[in-house]
Amino acid sequence: MNTPTGARTLTGVALALAASMALTGCGGNDDASTAAKPKPKTASEATPVKDPLVASFDGGLYVLDGKSLRTVKTIELPGFNRVNPAGDEDHVVVSTDSGFRVFDAARQAFTDAEFKGPKPGHVVRHAGKTVLFTDGTGEVNVFDPAELRDGDRPRTRAYTSAEAHHGVAIELANGELLTTLGTEEKRTGAMVLDKNNKEIKRAENCPGVHGEAAAKDEAIAVGCEDGVLLYKNGKFTKVDAPDDYGRIGNQAGSDDSPILLGDYKTDPQAELERPTRISLIDTRTAKLRLVDLGTSYSFRSLARGPHGEALVLGANGVLHVIDPKTGKVKKRIEAVGKWQEPLDWQQPRPTLFVRDHTAYVSEPGKRRLHSFDLDSGEKLTSVTLPKATNELSGVVAGH
């Protein structure tokens, strides 16, 4: 889950305000039956939708058909909610004010699987496991998404950080668990635990550690305020930024590419920096390249394509398809109108979600959602929704 540095879900008064502003009723899918209408199907009887998308809005979630973008169901859910793939063909993880909840997007209903805790943060999928990090407690939960099929909470590997912080964790194929180090005031680096949660490696030269990504050959990176910290073959390596303050807080990786895509910010005093440069980190050589796109972007603008392409949705409305080896823009897809990132990170902005060869792009200013074929660059379809959407995700099987 990509977020700005120190990002938190709404709490306290802010949560109450968000809830009070939420919708009290949604679309026709939830109308009570009448004598003239057949009785609606229950959640367990709902016709499954293939490859669903889930978009959040102020007051709930839309479940959409991944091909037609038709709205299949509207779910009421007050508050600020975030959505991420759960790691299988049916479910997404929804971060709510009470914790992580598992939503069966294919059948349009919440399951009994829930991980309660304040400030649910990053959701990471890798090597057949899904990892949840709860910022308010520092708790890490690892599970096999295949165990979500029965609707109950899956068996988990649990670990609790020494101190609560806005962190992230990822389990490697060999069972090692990489997790961040920090407190609510300061984040310093990462450590690696063995299968028994015993510490085996540590690096504390990554100030402001935030976000993660995995590259080809299981090279793992976490972002720092002065570059990135790599973990590969049992060893930490620091990749320094060319600037004293060169923050890489959000990254996107691909199993098909040894090169990671990251953002890049250089002004620690900015209320909101709108960068135009991206970073490309070669995990084989521990070298960093900066590429200026000539347009700004946001933390919801980064993704990877089916062949390892680096994808960036610019504020000029263009989806940039970039060769990560050369940094050259290979294709420009006119996706949405021009936009500007809002000051509040929880406010809607165009969002990019990629699944297989299809890029989905939201355009909240027009209440629109579009899909594009990444190979041809052609627009596949567009729809207008009742409410402006915020986050956009969907089911994604495999890691």
Side-chain angles (χ1 to χ4, degrees):
M1 173 185 293
N2 289 338
T3 57
T5 295
R8 295 289 194 269
T9 52
L10 288 173
T11 57
V13 174
L15 249 182
L17 178 60
S20 69
M21 294 174 65
L23 292 179
T24 56
C26 293
N29 289 325
D30 296 319
D31 286 348
S33 61
T34 67
K37 296 180 180 180
K39 183 179 179 180
K41 294 180 180 180
T42 64
S44 61
E45 296 172 334
T47 302
V49 58
K50 186 177 180 181
D51 299 327
L53 300 173
V54 179
S56 68
F57 63 91
D58 184 10
L61 307 171
Y62 292 126
V63 183
L64 307 115
D65 181 278
K67 185 175 182 179
S68 68
L69 303 187
R70 175 179 61 90
T71 300
V72 178
K73 187 73 175 283
T74 301
I75 305 293
E76 292 186 28
L77 190 65
F80 175 73
N81 304 297
R82 313 199 69 188
V83 288
N84 281 275
D88 68 353
E89 296 179 349
D90 296 325
H91 300 86
V92 298
V93 176
V94 182
S95 304
T96 72
D97 59 338
S98 62
F100 296 104
R101 297 180 64 185
V102 176
F103 181 73
D104 189 331
R107 295 165 182 80
Q108 310 109 54
F110 279 100
T111 73
D112 292 331
E114 185 172 5
F115 298 82
K116 292 185 177 181
K119 303 176 184 177
H122 286 258
V123 179
V124 175
R125 298 172 300 111
H126 179 71
K129 296 295 176 62
T130 300
V131 185
L132 312 177
F133 196 104
T134 301
D135 293 350
T137 61
E139 184 177 2
V140 176
N141 282 286
V142 184
F143 63 87
D144 182 346
E147 294 190 10
L148 297 174
R149 65 170 64 95
D150 61 6
D152 296 326
R153 174 169 164 150
R155 293 172 297 172
T156 62
R157 171 187 182 177
Y159 171 77
T160 300
S161 308
E163 295 194 53
H165 64 282
H166 180 50
V168 67
I170 180 172
E171 186 177 278
L172 280 66
N174 64 3
E176 292 180 351
L177 181 70
L178 185 151
T179 186
T180 51
L181 297 164
T183 68
E184 289 188 356
E185 291 76 32
K186 185 179 182 181
R187 304 191 300 276
T188 58
M191 67 176 177
V192 178
L193 311 175
D194 66 12
K195 294 180 180 179
N196 300 313
N197 287 353
K198 180 181 178 182
E199 182 180 334
I200 55 176
K201 294 286 182 181
R202 174 182 289 241
E204 296 191 69
N205 57 342
C206 183
V209 59
H210 185 272
E212 56 65 44
K216 187 177 181 180
D217 297 326
E218 205 171 38
I220 310 298
V222 291
C224 317
E225 291 178 350
D226 57 1
V228 296
L229 182 65
L230 295 179
Y231 183 72
K232 183 180 180 181
N233 298 327
K235 180 182 178 181
F236 277 112
T237 302
K238 181 65 179 294
V239 181
D240 292 321
D243 300 279
D244 290 339
Y245 181 89
R247 177 185 174 272
I248 301 174
N250 299 284
Q251 311 92 40
S254 168
D255 290 339
D256 295 317
S257 173
I259 300 172
L260 296 167
L261 167 66
D263 56 3
Y264 193 74
K265 295 184 176 182
T266 58
D267 185 359
Q269 306 303 321
E271 180 180 10
L272 173 66
E273 183 176 355
R274 297 184 175 96
T276 61
R277 291 184 294 175
I278 58 166
S279 55
L280 296 171
I281 304 100
D282 193 324
T283 61
R284 299 165 300 183
T285 61
K287 299 295 184 182
L288 184 153
R289 175 205 302 263
L290 297 177
V291 177
D292 197 329
L293 297 179
T295 181
S296 64
Y297 55 90
S298 87
F299 70 96
R300 292 193 186 136
S301 293
L302 308 180
R304 301 303 289 264
H307 311 294
E309 311 97 310
L311 306 174
V312 182
L313 178 64
N316 60 356
V318 173
L319 177 56
H320 301 76
V321 182
I322 303 163
D323 183 340
K325 295 179 182 178
T326 65
K328 301 295 184 183
V329 178
K330 300 191 302 180
K331 189 182 304 178
R332 292 176 172 84
I333 301 173
E334 298 288 340
V336 296
K338 293 182 179 180
W339 55 279
Q340 184 178 63
E341 182 179 7
L343 290 175
D344 182 353
W345 74 272
Q346 293 176 333
Q347 291 302 306
R349 81 283 311 282
T351 297
L352 172 64
F353 172 67
V354 175
R355 184 167 58 198
D356 297 327
H357 295 258
T358 303
Y360 300 93
V361 183
S362 66
E363 192 170 12
K366 297 181 179 179
R367 297 183 287 113
R368 301 279 285 171
L369 179 62
H370 315 281
S371 61
F372 300 88
D373 183 282
L374 284 169
D375 294 323
S376 67
E378 296 298 315
K379 179 182 287 189
L380 299 174
T381 190
S382 293
V383 294
T384 300
L385 298 167
K387 300 275 288 186
T389 58
N390 196 341
E391 295 220 338
L392 176 65
S393 190
V395 300
V396 177
H399 296 63

